[in-house]
Amino acid sequence: MSDAMHIHPEVVTTHDVHHDEHHVHHHKETFISKYIFSMDHKTIGKQFLITGIIWAIIGGLFSVLFRLQLGYPDTHFPILETVFGKWAEGGQIKPEFYYALITMHGTVLVFFVLTAGLSGTFANILIPLQLGARDMASPFLNMLSYWFFFMASIVMISSLFISTGPAAGGWTVYPPLSALGQASEGSKLGMDLWIVSMALFVVSSLLGGLNYISTILNLRTKGMSMTRMPLTIWAMFFTAILGVLSFPVLLSGLILLLFDRNLGTSFYLSDIVFADPNGAGMIILPNEGGSAILFQHLFWFLGHPEVYIILLPAMGMVSEILSVNSRKPIFGYMAMLGSLFAIAILAFLVWAHHMFVTGLNPFLGSIFVLLTLLIAVPSAIKVFNWLTTLWRGNIRFTPATLFAIGFVSLFISGGLTGIFLGNSTIDIHLHDTMFVVAHFHIVMGVASMFGMFAGIYHWFPKMFGRYMNSTLGYIHFWVTIVGSYLIFWPMHYEGLAGMPRRYLDKSSWVSFTQFGELDKMITIVSIIVFAVQLMFVFNFFYSIFKGRKVTTPNPWGSNTLEWTTPIRPGHGNWEGEIPEVHRWPYDYAKDGREFIPQTEPVGENESKH
C-alpha cells in the first residue's frame, strides 16, 4: 500500500461535522473535496445513502399516487390535476400516465434504492472498516461509481419533465412496446432517457463491484483470513460478483433496444402491424427476423440475479445484527457461507421461470422449475440459522434488531409464495396477476427495505457519531411491518382470483368488484405507511445534527473491527497502526465473557473456534 494511503500522525479527527480543520495528506480539505468529490469510502457511502433516501421518497410517492387510482377508480382528486396537469385531467390519472408511474416506481425502487442505495451504502462503509483497510482498492473509481449513479439519477429525473412523459413500458421495458416510438407517448423520448440512465447506472454498478471484490481479496488486515470475515463482507462479496457478471448482459440488451428504436435494426422486432393514426388502414413495419423473447432472456439473466443483488447484502447485515443483539455466536457460520455461495450460483440458473408463459419448451421449463425450487434449500438453511441464533439468546430489542427479525419474517412468508410461482403449471394461471406483485414485494422489496433500515439504525452511530431516536424507530418498525402485511398479503387472494396487475381500473369486471373495499383498505394503509417513512426520514436527518452523541467507540458491544476506530474516524479510519485480527467475529457469550473483540489474541486455555 502506498504511503499516501497511510494516515499521518498529524491527522486529527474533528468532532463536528461542519468543521473541515483536519489535514489529510498535508493539505487543507475544502467543503467540496471533503463532502462532494470525496474519495473517503465513508463519505461516498453516505452519498449513496442520502441519494437512495431521496429516490425512495420519490418512488414511494409514485406508489401512493397510483394506489389512489386503484382504491378509488371513480373518484376525482383535484390535487392530481394540480400536480400532473394534462396527465391527470379532471383529477383522474390517464391510463398511459398510470403505466408510466408503475414503470418509474419499479425502476426507482429496484435499481436506484435497493441496489445503489443498499449495496452502495453498506459495501462502501463496511468493507474497509470490517476488513481493516484504510480505504477501497481504488478510491478514485469509488468516487466515479457514485457520480455515474448521480448522473443516472439526473437523466431519470429529467424524463419526468418532458412533454411526452417518462418511460411507460413496465420496469422490464419489454419490446415491442418499448422498441417502437409510435406505440405510445411513454415509448418516445422518455424511453430513450430511461435506457441512457440505466446504462450509466450499470457503469456505476460495475465500477463499485470491481472495487469491492478487489478490496476484499487484497486489502484484508493481518490475520483476517477469509473465514474470519464477518458474514456482512461475504454477502457483499457475492453481491459484487453477481453484479459484475450479470449487469453487462442487461447493458447489451439495452444497447440493442436503443439500436432498434433509433437505427432501424430488428433485434427484437418482426411482423409488426400498426393501425394508421390518420385512419388510412394498417401500416406494416419493415422489421423482420427479430424476437421479443430474446430481450426477455437478456433482461431476466440480469433480472433474477438482481433479486439476490438486492437480498444478499440485507441477509449479511441481518446475520451480523442478530448475532450482536442476541449476544450469541451466529449459528452455523460455514453453513451460512455455503448457502450464500449456493444462492449466488443458483441465481444464474433460474431466470426463465419468469418466462413460463412465453411458449418455452415444457421440458426446458421443467428444468427451470427444479432449479427454482432448489434455491429454497439454501434459503431455508439461512432462515433456520437466523432462528437458532435468536433461540435462547439474551436479545436486545433495538430498532435494528426488530427490523432484522422483521426481515426474517418477511423472507419466510414472501418466499413461501414463490413455491407457487416456481411451478410452471400454477404459474400459467398466476402469471401477471396481483399474486406476483404480492410475492416479490414481500420477499424482495419490503424484506430488503427492512434489511436496509436495520443497517441504518445499527451503523448510524459509526456513520455520524450520533444515535437515531429509538422511540421513533419503534413506531417506524411496528407501523411498517403491520402495514406491509396489510398491503401485500391480501393481493395474493386477488391474484388467485385472476386479477391482473398494471390495470388502472378493474371495477368494470364483475368478477373483481368483490375486491373493491379491499383495494380501498390497501390504499389507506399504503398512505399511512408512506407517512411513517417520512417520519423515518425526519428522524434520520434530524439525528445527523441533533441526535444523542455517541460517547463510547463500541456502543453495541460488537466484535468486528469497525468499532475499534475512533467514534468519528477520519480518512484512513485508524489513527495509529491497523489492528491485527486473531479470531472470528462471533465470539459472544464465550468463556464467561459477553463479547471478545476480533483484535484480542486467543488465550492459551481458550477454546478455539
Side-chain angles (χ1 to χ4, degrees):
M1 198 188 300
S2 71
D3 288 334
M5 285 293 292
H6 284 280
I7 196 152
H8 297 288
E10 62 268 26
V11 173
V12 180
T13 308
T14 57
H15 292 284
D16 193 314
V17 74
H18 297 298
H19 291 193
D20 54 5
E21 284 130 19
H22 73 272
H23 301 68
V24 179
H25 319 321
H26 300 291
H27 70 268
K28 187 172 176 112
E29 285 192 310
T30 62
F31 179 85
I32 290 175
S33 68
K34 185 173 180 186
Y35 293 113
I36 299 176
F37 295 108
S38 174
M39 293 193 207
D40 182 352
H41 68 97
K42 299 181 291 299
T43 304
I44 293 168
K46 293 172 197 171
Q47 289 174 324
F48 270 108
L49 178 57
I50 290 168
T51 311
I53 286 174
I54 292 166
W55 268 121
I57 296 168
I58 296 169
L61 184 62
F62 289 160
S63 65
V64 168
L65 293 171
F66 62 68
R67 273 307 329 172
L68 277 178
Q69 175 63 41
L70 286 168
Y72 300 90
D74 300 323
T75 310
H76 297 264
F77 297 97
I79 188 170
L80 291 178
E81 186 169 10
T82 307
V83 175
F84 294 119
K86 66 172 185 177
W87 291 327
E89 284 174 357
Q92 281 193 305
I93 293 173
K94 285 187 173 179
E96 57 268 30
F97 185 61
Y98 174 83
Y99 205 27
L101 281 178
I102 295 262
T103 303
M104 296 303 285
H105 165 76
T107 305
V108 163
L109 268 297
V110 169
F111 293 112
F112 288 18
V113 178
L114 292 173
T115 304
L118 185 52
S119 285
T121 299
F122 291 103
N124 265 307
I125 288 168
L126 296 179
I127 288 174
L129 283 172
Q130 291 196 334
L131 289 181
R134 295 289 183 197
D135 207 311
M136 285 287 176
S138 173
F140 178 70
L141 290 185
N142 206 24
M143 178 187 76
L144 280 185
S145 78
Y146 171 73
W147 284 103
F148 270 104
F149 169 50
F150 186 80
M151 287 191 289
S153 298
I154 296 298
V155 174
M156 192 67 80
I157 283 265
S158 67
S159 73
L160 297 171
F161 297 97
I162 57 176
S163 60
T164 51
W171 76 279
T172 55
V173 296
Y174 282 172
L177 179 60
S178 61
L180 298 167
Q182 61 268 53
S184 77
E185 290 286 279
S187 294
K188 293 188 167 70
L189 177 60
M191 187 62 71
D192 285 321
L193 290 173
W194 189 96
I195 295 169
V196 170
S197 172
M198 287 306 301
L200 291 167
F201 177 82
V202 170
V203 174
S204 162
S205 298
L206 292 176
L207 288 171
L210 291 169
N211 227 340
Y212 307 151
I213 294 166
S214 306
T215 308
I216 291 168
L217 292 179
N218 297 314
L219 294 185
R220 301 191 306 279
T221 188
K222 187 178 179 185
M224 179 66 81
S225 64
M226 295 290 273
T227 50
R228 285 179 178 168
M229 296 196 312
L231 287 169
T232 329
I233 303 297
W234 275 109
M236 302 295 183
F237 182 57
F238 285 122
T239 302
I241 291 171
L242 286 175
V244 166
L245 293 177
S246 61
F247 268 115
V249 179
L250 175 69
L251 183 59
S252 62
L254 293 178
I255 289 170
L256 298 186
L257 182 59
L258 211 53
F259 286 179
D260 273 15
R261 288 176 55 77
N262 299 300
L263 299 180
T265 56
S266 300
F267 292 106
Y268 307 129
L269 298 174
S270 187
D271 310 318
I272 307 284
V273 179
F274 257 106
D276 188 339
N278 300 319
M282 310 301 281
I283 300 172
I284 300 174
L285 296 187
N287 305 80
E288 282 186 20
S291 168
I293 303 297
L294 168 63
F295 180 86
Q296 291 197 32
H297 279 294
L298 293 172
F299 182 89
W300 287 115
F301 191 81
L302 159 89
H304 204 83
E306 173 66 17
V307 169
Y308 293 99
I309 288 169
I310 287 170
L311 269 170
L312 288 182
M315 288 176 168
M317 292 192 296
V318 162
S319 303
E320 176 77 16
I321 291 165
L322 290 182
S323 180
V324 170
N325 289 303
S326 60
R327 314 312 287 152
K328 276 181 64 187
I330 193 79
F331 185 90
Y333 177 86
M334 293 307 290
M336 289 294 240
L337 279 192
S339 56
L340 280 172
F341 184 57
I343 286 171
I345 290 175
L346 285 168
F348 281 105
L349 303 176
V350 297
W351 79 89
H353 69 210
H354 297 269
M355 300 171 58
F356 286 146
V357 296
T358 59
L360 193 71
N361 180 307
F363 175 70
L364 197 57
S366 67
I367 293 171
F368 279 98
V369 169
L370 174 65
L371 291 166
T372 300
L373 297 183
L374 264 182
I375 213 162
V377 176
S379 301
I381 291 170
K382 299 197 83 58
V383 167
F384 176 80
N385 287 8
W386 287 322
L387 295 178
T388 38
T389 300
L390 287 167
W391 175 248
R392 303 187 75 172
N394 184 16
I395 303 173
R396 294 182 305 208
F397 288 104
T398 65
T401 314
L402 289 174
F403 274 105
I405 295 170
F407 170 89
V408 178
S409 163
L410 291 155
F411 185 68
I412 295 169
S413 54
L416 286 173
T417 56
I419 297 171
F420 291 68
L421 297 170
N423 284 284
S424 53
T425 44
I426 305 173
D427 182 69
I428 288 168
H429 171 66
L430 295 176
H431 187 81
D432 260 346
T433 66
M434 296 303 288
F435 192 96
V436 176
V437 175
H439 160 71
F440 78 76
H441 273 84
I442 290 179
V443 77
M444 182 188 85
V446 184
S448 298
M449 286 302 292
F450 269 57
M452 190 171 178
F453 288 137
I456 292 170
Y457 282 107
H458 187 74
W459 279 288
F460 192 89
K462 179 50 55 186
M463 287 191 262
F464 298 105
R466 295 175 185 268
Y467 296 100
M468 290 182 72
N469 183 294
S470 291
T471 305
L472 293 180
Y474 292 131
I475 297 168
H476 179 212
F477 169 75
W478 285 111
V479 175
T480 307
I481 191 158
V482 172
S484 298
Y485 275 120
L486 285 174
I487 290 166
F488 295 112
W489 202 255
M491 290 182 189
H492 289 103
Y493 304 109
E494 296 181 340
L496 286 167
M499 184 187 278
R501 64 196 281 206
R502 294 180 177 157
Y503 284 34
L504 82 163
D505 183 1
K506 306 171 183 106
S507 57
S508 54
W509 274 299
V510 177
S511 51
F512 300 141
T513 50
Q514 61 181 315
F515 294 117
E517 293 303 312
L518 186 61
D519 270 333
K520 282 181 185 170
M521 184 276 289
I522 293 174
T523 296
I524 292 165
V525 175
S526 66
I527 293 168
I528 294 168
V529 169
F530 180 70
V532 170
Q533 307 319 306
L534 294 179
M535 185 193 75
F536 161 78
V537 172
F538 166 77
N539 188 6
F540 178 85
F541 286 107
Y542 180 82
S543 299
I544 290 175
F545 302 104
K546 299 287 188 183
R548 184 166 55 92
K549 286 189 176 181
V550 177
T551 54
T552 169
N554 191 0
W556 310 124
S558 180
N559 292 339
T560 43
L561 290 180
E562 74 268 33
W563 305 106
T564 63
T565 62
I567 293 172
R568 300 291 293 272
H571 193 175
N573 300 332
W574 287 269
E575 290 178 342
E577 290 294 312
I578 298 177
E580 187 179 335
V581 169
H582 298 280
R583 59 180 73 230
W584 78 319
Y586 299 107
D587 272 340
Y588 295 102
K590 179 182 177 186
D591 298 336
R593 295 176 62 184
E594 191 184 351
F595 69 101
I596 311 175
Q598 282 189 280
T599 52
E600 189 171 313
V602 180
E604 285 182 21
N605 302 322
E606 192 178 333
S607 53
K608 292 185 181 179
H609 181 271

mmCIF file of all heavy atoms in Angstrom, residues 107-140:
data_model
loop_
_atom_site.group_PDB
_atom_site.id
_atom_site.type_symbol
_atom_site.label_atom_id
_atom_site.label_comp_id
_atom_site.label_asym_id
_atom_site.label_seq_id
_atom_site.Cartn_x
_atom_site.Cartn_y
_atom_site.Cartn_z
ATOM 1 N N THR A 107 -38.642 0.864 -11.459
ATOM 2 C CA THR A 107 -37.239 1.146 -11.804
ATOM 3 C C THR A 107 -36.509 1.799 -10.631
ATOM 4 O O THR A 107 -35.402 1.393 -10.254
ATOM 5 C CB THR A 107 -37.171 2.098 -13.019
ATOM 6 O OG1 THR A 107 -37.912 1.528 -14.094
ATOM 7 C CG2 THR A 107 -35.740 2.313 -13.461
ATOM 8 N N VAL A 108 -37.132 2.811 -10.063
ATOM 9 C CA VAL A 108 -36.505 3.578 -8.985
ATOM 10 C C VAL A 108 -36.243 2.697 -7.766
ATOM 11 O O VAL A 108 -35.150 2.693 -7.199
ATOM 12 C CB VAL A 108 -37.398 4.784 -8.617
ATOM 13 C CG1 VAL A 108 -37.019 5.359 -7.274
ATOM 14 C CG2 VAL A 108 -37.303 5.849 -9.703
ATOM 15 N N LEU A 109 -37.266 1.937 -7.353
ATOM 16 C CA LEU A 109 -37.108 1.152 -6.127
ATOM 17 C C LEU A 109 -36.134 -0.006 -6.327
ATOM 18 O O LEU A 109 -35.289 -0.274 -5.474
ATOM 19 C CB LEU A 109 -38.475 0.628 -5.652
ATOM 20 C CG LEU A 109 -39.245 1.492 -4.645
ATOM 21 C CD1 LEU A 109 -38.479 1.614 -3.337
ATOM 22 C CD2 LEU A 109 -39.578 2.880 -5.151
ATOM 23 N N VAL A 110 -36.230 -0.707 -7.456
ATOM 24 C CA VAL A 110 -35.375 -1.880 -7.664
ATOM 25 C C VAL A 110 -33.920 -1.467 -7.857
ATOM 26 O O VAL A 110 -33.016 -2.023 -7.224
ATOM 27 C CB VAL A 110 -35.857 -2.709 -8.878
ATOM 28 C CG1 VAL A 110 -34.825 -3.774 -9.255
ATOM 29 C CG2 VAL A 110 -37.193 -3.376 -8.557
ATOM 30 N N PHE A 111 -33.665 -0.517 -8.731
ATOM 31 C CA PHE A 111 -32.281 -0.195 -9.079
ATOM 32 C C PHE A 111 -31.699 0.929 -8.216
ATOM 33 O O PHE A 111 -30.617 0.792 -7.649
ATOM 34 C CB PHE A 111 -32.190 0.192 -10.563
ATOM 35 C CG PHE A 111 -32.482 -0.957 -11.492
ATOM 36 C CD1 PHE A 111 -33.633 -0.966 -12.273
ATOM 37 C CD2 PHE A 111 -31.625 -2.043 -11.574
ATOM 38 C CE1 PHE A 111 -33.916 -2.033 -13.116
ATOM 39 C CE2 PHE A 111 -31.894 -3.109 -12.421
ATOM 40 C CZ PHE A 111 -33.040 -3.104 -13.197
ATOM 41 N N PHE A 112 -32.421 2.045 -8.104
ATOM 42 C CA PHE A 112 -31.797 3.217 -7.503
ATOM 43 C C PHE A 112 -31.829 3.180 -5.975
ATOM 44 O O PHE A 112 -30.995 3.808 -5.328
ATOM 45 C CB PHE A 112 -32.475 4.498 -8.004
ATOM 46 C CG PHE A 112 -32.152 4.816 -9.446
ATOM 47 C CD1 PHE A 112 -31.640 3.848 -10.295
ATOM 48 C CD2 PHE A 112 -32.354 6.083 -9.952
ATOM 49 C CE1 PHE A 112 -31.332 4.136 -11.619
ATOM 50 C CE2 PHE A 112 -32.045 6.385 -11.281
ATOM 51 C CZ PHE A 112 -31.535 5.410 -12.112
ATOM 52 N N VAL A 113 -32.817 2.483 -5.396
ATOM 53 C CA VAL A 113 -32.890 2.420 -3.939
ATOM 54 C C VAL A 113 -32.284 1.121 -3.421
ATOM 55 O O VAL A 113 -31.338 1.115 -2.643
ATOM 56 C CB VAL A 113 -34.347 2.572 -3.440
ATOM 57 C CG1 VAL A 113 -34.403 2.457 -1.916
ATOM 58 C CG2 VAL A 113 -34.930 3.898 -3.894
ATOM 59 N N LEU A 114 -32.817 -0.021 -3.879
ATOM 60 C CA LEU A 114 -32.422 -1.303 -3.280
ATOM 61 C C LEU A 114 -31.126 -1.860 -3.845
ATOM 62 O O LEU A 114 -30.541 -2.774 -3.269
ATOM 63 C CB LEU A 114 -33.554 -2.321 -3.444
ATOM 64 C CG LEU A 114 -34.798 -1.989 -2.610
ATOM 65 C CD1 LEU A 114 -35.947 -2.926 -2.947
ATOM 66 C CD2 LEU A 114 -34.489 -2.058 -1.118
ATOM 67 N N THR A 115 -30.657 -1.348 -4.983
ATOM 68 C CA THR A 115 -29.345 -1.771 -5.477
ATOM 69 C C THR A 115 -28.299 -0.728 -5.088
ATOM 70 O O THR A 115 -27.396 -1.008 -4.304
ATOM 71 C CB THR A 115 -29.362 -1.970 -7.006
ATOM 72 O OG1 THR A 115 -30.387 -2.908 -7.334
ATOM 73 C CG2 THR A 115 -28.039 -2.523 -7.491
ATOM 74 N N ALA A 116 -28.414 0.482 -5.621
ATOM 75 C CA ALA A 116 -27.416 1.519 -5.315
ATOM 76 C C ALA A 116 -27.507 1.956 -3.855
ATOM 77 O O ALA A 116 -26.486 2.083 -3.168
ATOM 78 C CB ALA A 116 -27.610 2.708 -6.242
ATOM 79 N N GLY A 117 -28.720 2.192 -3.369
ATOM 80 C CA GLY A 117 -28.874 2.677 -2.003
ATOM 81 C C GLY A 117 -28.415 1.670 -0.963
ATOM 82 O O GLY A 117 -27.808 2.029 0.043
ATOM 83 N N LEU A 118 -28.686 0.388 -1.204
ATOM 84 C CA LEU A 118 -28.345 -0.647 -0.218
ATOM 85 C C LEU A 118 -26.891 -1.084 -0.361
ATOM 86 O O LEU A 118 -26.078 -0.922 0.546
ATOM 87 C CB LEU A 118 -29.295 -1.841 -0.394
ATOM 88 C CG LEU A 118 -29.217 -2.997 0.593
ATOM 89 C CD1 LEU A 118 -29.301 -2.511 2.025
ATOM 90 C CD2 LEU A 118 -30.340 -3.993 0.333
ATOM 91 N N SER A 119 -26.509 -1.610 -1.532
ATOM 92 C CA SER A 119 -25.118 -2.055 -1.730
ATOM 93 C C SER A 119 -24.149 -0.883 -1.693
ATOM 94 O O SER A 119 -23.099 -0.943 -1.054
ATOM 95 C CB SER A 119 -24.967 -2.765 -3.082
ATOM 96 O OG SER A 119 -25.516 -4.045 -3.017
ATOM 97 N N GLY A 120 -24.486 0.187 -2.408
ATOM 98 C CA GLY A 120 -23.586 1.325 -2.482
ATOM 99 C C GLY A 120 -23.273 1.903 -1.114
ATOM 100 O O GLY A 120 -22.144 2.291 -0.827
ATOM 101 N N THR A 121 -24.272 1.924 -0.248
ATOM 102 C CA THR A 121 -24.066 2.471 1.095
ATOM 103 C C THR A 121 -23.223 1.537 1.949
ATOM 104 O O THR A 121 -22.151 1.902 2.441
ATOM 105 C CB THR A 121 -25.417 2.686 1.801
ATOM 106 O OG1 THR A 121 -26.188 3.611 1.041
ATOM 107 C CG2 THR A 121 -25.221 3.205 3.214
ATOM 108 N N PHE A 122 -23.715 0.314 2.130
ATOM 109 C CA PHE A 122 -23.121 -0.537 3.162
ATOM 110 C C PHE A 122 -21.862 -1.251 2.693
ATOM 111 O O PHE A 122 -20.969 -1.520 3.499
ATOM 112 C CB PHE A 122 -24.174 -1.505 3.712
ATOM 113 C CG PHE A 122 -25.220 -0.792 4.506
ATOM 114 C CD1 PHE A 122 -26.480 -0.546 3.975
ATOM 115 C CD2 PHE A 122 -24.937 -0.302 5.769
ATOM 116 C CE1 PHE A 122 -27.441 0.153 4.702
ATOM 117 C CE2 PHE A 122 -25.878 0.399 6.499
ATOM 118 C CZ PHE A 122 -27.134 0.618 5.967
ATOM 119 N N ALA A 123 -21.749 -1.540 1.394
ATOM 120 C CA ALA A 123 -20.483 -2.091 0.907
ATOM 121 C C ALA A 123 -19.391 -1.043 1.100
ATOM 122 O O ALA A 123 -18.284 -1.345 1.553
ATOM 123 C CB ALA A 123 -20.602 -2.493 -0.560
ATOM 124 N N ASN A 124 -19.687 0.221 0.784
ATOM 125 C CA ASN A 124 -18.692 1.277 0.920
ATOM 126 C C ASN A 124 -18.294 1.511 2.362
ATOM 127 O O ASN A 124 -17.115 1.646 2.679
ATOM 128 C CB ASN A 124 -19.222 2.577 0.316
ATOM 129 C CG ASN A 124 -18.762 2.767 -1.105
ATOM 130 O OD1 ASN A 124 -17.572 2.702 -1.377
ATOM 131 N ND2 ASN A 124 -19.693 2.954 -2.012
ATOM 132 N N ILE A 125 -19.267 1.588 3.232
ATOM 133 C CA ILE A 125 -18.947 1.923 4.621
ATOM 134 C C ILE A 125 -18.289 0.744 5.331
ATOM 135 O O ILE A 125 -17.302 0.911 6.051
ATOM 136 C CB ILE A 125 -20.225 2.377 5.358
ATOM 137 C CG1 ILE A 125 -20.629 3.770 4.854
ATOM 138 C CG2 ILE A 125 -20.022 2.393 6.871
ATOM 139 C CD1 ILE A 125 -22.004 4.210 5.271
ATOM 140 N N LEU A 126 -18.803 -0.470 5.111
ATOM 141 C CA LEU A 126 -18.389 -1.597 5.950
ATOM 142 C C LEU A 126 -17.172 -2.360 5.442
ATOM 143 O O LEU A 126 -16.404 -2.881 6.244
ATOM 144 C CB LEU A 126 -19.559 -2.576 6.125
ATOM 145 C CG LEU A 126 -20.770 -2.016 6.879
ATOM 146 C CD1 LEU A 126 -21.867 -3.059 6.978
ATOM 147 C CD2 LEU A 126 -20.360 -1.552 8.278
ATOM 148 N N ILE A 127 -16.979 -2.464 4.117
ATOM 149 C CA ILE A 127 -15.902 -3.344 3.637
ATOM 150 C C ILE A 127 -14.542 -2.914 4.188
ATOM 151 O O ILE A 127 -13.861 -3.703 4.851
ATOM 152 C CB ILE A 127 -15.913 -3.460 2.099
ATOM 153 C CG1 ILE A 127 -17.110 -4.310 1.642
ATOM 154 C CG2 ILE A 127 -14.621 -4.096 1.585
ATOM 155 C CD1 ILE A 127 -17.308 -4.369 0.136
ATOM 156 N N PRO A 128 -14.085 -1.654 3.983
ATOM 157 C CA PRO A 128 -12.780 -1.298 4.557
ATOM 158 C C PRO A 128 -12.767 -1.346 6.092
ATOM 159 O O PRO A 128 -11.790 -1.789 6.691
ATOM 160 C CB PRO A 128 -12.537 0.128 4.046
ATOM 161 C CG PRO A 128 -13.410 0.256 2.842
ATOM 162 C CD PRO A 128 -14.617 -0.551 3.160
ATOM 163 N N LEU A 129 -13.843 -0.900 6.730
ATOM 164 C CA LEU A 129 -13.860 -0.851 8.190
ATOM 165 C C LEU A 129 -13.828 -2.248 8.808
ATOM 166 O O LEU A 129 -13.145 -2.486 9.804
ATOM 167 C CB LEU A 129 -15.108 -0.102 8.680
ATOM 168 C CG LEU A 129 -15.066 1.431 8.564
ATOM 169 C CD1 LEU A 129 -16.424 2.026 8.896
ATOM 170 C CD2 LEU A 129 -13.994 2.016 9.472
ATOM 171 N N GLN A 130 -14.587 -3.198 8.235
ATOM 172 C CA GLN A 130 -14.639 -4.529 8.845
ATOM 173 C C GLN A 130 -13.456 -5.412 8.435
ATOM 174 O O GLN A 130 -13.176 -6.407 9.093
ATOM 175 C CB GLN A 130 -15.961 -5.226 8.494
ATOM 176 C CG GLN A 130 -17.157 -4.583 9.175
ATOM 177 C CD GLN A 130 -18.396 -5.467 9.171
ATOM 178 O OE1 GLN A 130 -18.568 -6.320 8.314
ATOM 179 N NE2 GLN A 130 -19.274 -5.260 10.137
ATOM 180 N N LEU A 131 -12.763 -5.044 7.350
ATOM 181 C CA LEU A 131 -11.609 -5.831 6.913
ATOM 182 C C LEU A 131 -10.298 -5.283 7.463
ATOM 183 O O LEU A 131 -9.268 -5.957 7.394
ATOM 184 C CB LEU A 131 -11.515 -5.851 5.379
ATOM 185 C CG LEU A 131 -12.571 -6.656 4.649
ATOM 186 C CD1 LEU A 131 -12.327 -6.590 3.155
ATOM 187 C CD2 LEU A 131 -12.578 -8.098 5.119
ATOM 188 N N GLY A 132 -10.301 -4.043 7.968
ATOM 189 C CA GLY A 132 -9.064 -3.433 8.412
ATOM 190 C C GLY A 132 -8.288 -2.826 7.265
ATOM 191 O O GLY A 132 -7.090 -3.085 7.106
ATOM 192 N N ALA A 133 -8.964 -2.030 6.430
ATOM 193 C CA ALA A 133 -8.294 -1.367 5.309
ATOM 194 C C ALA A 133 -8.431 0.147 5.479
ATOM 195 O O ALA A 133 -9.406 0.624 6.075
ATOM 196 C CB ALA A 133 -8.902 -1.806 3.979
ATOM 197 N N ARG A 134 -7.458 0.899 4.941
ATOM 198 C CA ARG A 134 -7.541 2.357 5.023
ATOM 199 C C ARG A 134 -8.659 2.905 4.148
ATOM 200 O O ARG A 134 -9.284 3.910 4.466
ATOM 201 C CB ARG A 134 -6.215 2.974 4.578
ATOM 202 C CG ARG A 134 -5.026 2.652 5.478
ATOM 203 C CD ARG A 134 -5.128 3.376 6.799
ATOM 204 N NE ARG A 134 -3.952 3.134 7.634
ATOM 205 C CZ ARG A 134 -3.920 3.367 8.943
ATOM 206 N NH1 ARG A 134 -4.971 3.841 9.556
ATOM 207 N NH2 ARG A 134 -2.821 3.132 9.629
ATOM 208 N N ASP A 135 -8.873 2.265 3.005
ATOM 209 C CA ASP A 135 -9.917 2.717 2.083
ATOM 210 C C ASP A 135 -10.144 1.599 1.070
ATOM 211 O O ASP A 135 -9.614 0.494 1.235
ATOM 212 C CB ASP A 135 -9.505 4.015 1.370
ATOM 213 C CG ASP A 135 -10.717 4.847 0.950
ATOM 214 O OD1 ASP A 135 -11.644 4.269 0.332
ATOM 215 O OD2 ASP A 135 -10.747 6.057 1.217
ATOM 216 N N MET A 136 -10.897 1.885 0.039
ATOM 217 C CA MET A 136 -11.104 0.927 -1.040
ATOM 218 C C MET A 136 -9.828 0.750 -1.867
ATOM 219 O O MET A 136 -8.907 1.568 -1.801
ATOM 220 C CB MET A 136 -12.223 1.415 -1.962
ATOM 221 C CG MET A 136 -13.598 1.249 -1.366
ATOM 222 S SD MET A 136 -14.083 -0.474 -1.354
ATOM 223 C CE MET A 136 -15.632 -0.324 -0.497
ATOM 224 N N ALA A 137 -9.800 -0.294 -2.679
ATOM 225 C CA ALA A 137 -8.649 -0.541 -3.543
ATOM 226 C C ALA A 137 -8.391 0.655 -4.452
ATOM 227 O O ALA A 137 -7.253 1.046 -4.672
ATOM 228 C CB ALA A 137 -8.880 -1.809 -4.367
ATOM 229 N N SER A 138 -9.460 1.245 -4.991
ATOM 230 C CA SER A 138 -9.298 2.446 -5.815
ATOM 231 C C SER A 138 -10.299 3.500 -5.373
ATOM 232 O O SER A 138 -11.449 3.504 -5.818
ATOM 233 C CB SER A 138 -9.512 2.132 -7.303
ATOM 234 O OG SER A 138 -9.511 3.334 -8.046
ATOM 235 N N PRO A 139 -9.871 4.417 -4.496
ATOM 236 C CA PRO A 139 -10.795 5.468 -4.051
ATOM 237 C C PRO A 139 -11.326 6.324 -5.199
ATOM 238 O O PRO A 139 -12.474 6.755 -5.170
ATOM 239 C CB PRO A 139 -9.928 6.305 -3.102
ATOM 240 C CG PRO A 139 -8.856 5.374 -2.640
ATOM 241 C CD PRO A 139 -8.575 4.468 -3.804
ATOM 242 N N PHE A 140 -10.511 6.523 -6.240
ATOM 243 C CA PHE A 140 -10.938 7.357 -7.360
ATOM 244 C C PHE A 140 -12.086 6.690 -8.126
ATOM 245 O O PHE A 140 -13.109 7.314 -8.427
ATOM 246 C CB PHE A 140 -9.765 7.626 -8.300
ATOM 247 C CG PHE A 140 -10.145 8.452 -9.511
ATOM 248 C CD1 PHE A 140 -10.464 9.797 -9.382
ATOM 249 C CD2 PHE A 140 -10.210 7.878 -10.771
ATOM 250 C CE1 PHE A 140 -10.833 10.561 -10.484
ATOM 251 C CE2 PHE A 140 -10.580 8.629 -11.879
ATOM 252 C CZ PHE A 140 -10.886 9.978 -11.739
#
